[in-house]
Amino acid sequence: MSRSDPRPFLISKSQDGSYRLTIRDIHYNSLGYPIVTANLQDEVFATAAAAKAHARQTFGARGGEYETV
């Protein structure tokens, strides 16, 4: 199991080349393990930069809070 904390914003590339943004809510149980709830957003973006810009404007994301897949 990885000891690194999951990042709250996940940007994933679809098979058709578009990008999707997932917002992750992270809580920790009594043993300190993360419990992650993921919510895939409805918007589809042409580039990863567009997805990041949307996350900054809509959710107040900051640099270093993104993970890409």
Side-chain angles (χ1 to χ4, degrees):
M1 176 179 286
S2 173
R3 285 293 198 187
S4 65
D5 292 334
R7 298 200 173 133
F9 300 98
L10 174 67
I11 299 172
S12 56
K13 187 173 184 178
S14 303
Q15 291 180 352
D16 64 359
S18 61
Y19 291 85
R20 300 289 304 267
L21 178 65
T22 301
I23 308 301
R24 299 191 282 192
D25 186 32
I26 304 161
H27 297 284
Y28 295 88
N29 69 8
S30 62
L31 299 175
Y33 289 99
I35 299 174
V36 180
T37 304
N39 295 310
L40 181 64
Q41 301 300 298
D42 293 331
E43 294 88 353
V44 177
F45 303 96
T47 64
K52 285 182 182 182
H54 177 75
R56 280 192 304 271
Q57 293 172 354
T58 307
F59 302 105
R62 293 174 286 174
E65 292 185 327
Y66 305 103
E67 187 172 337
T68 57
V69 180

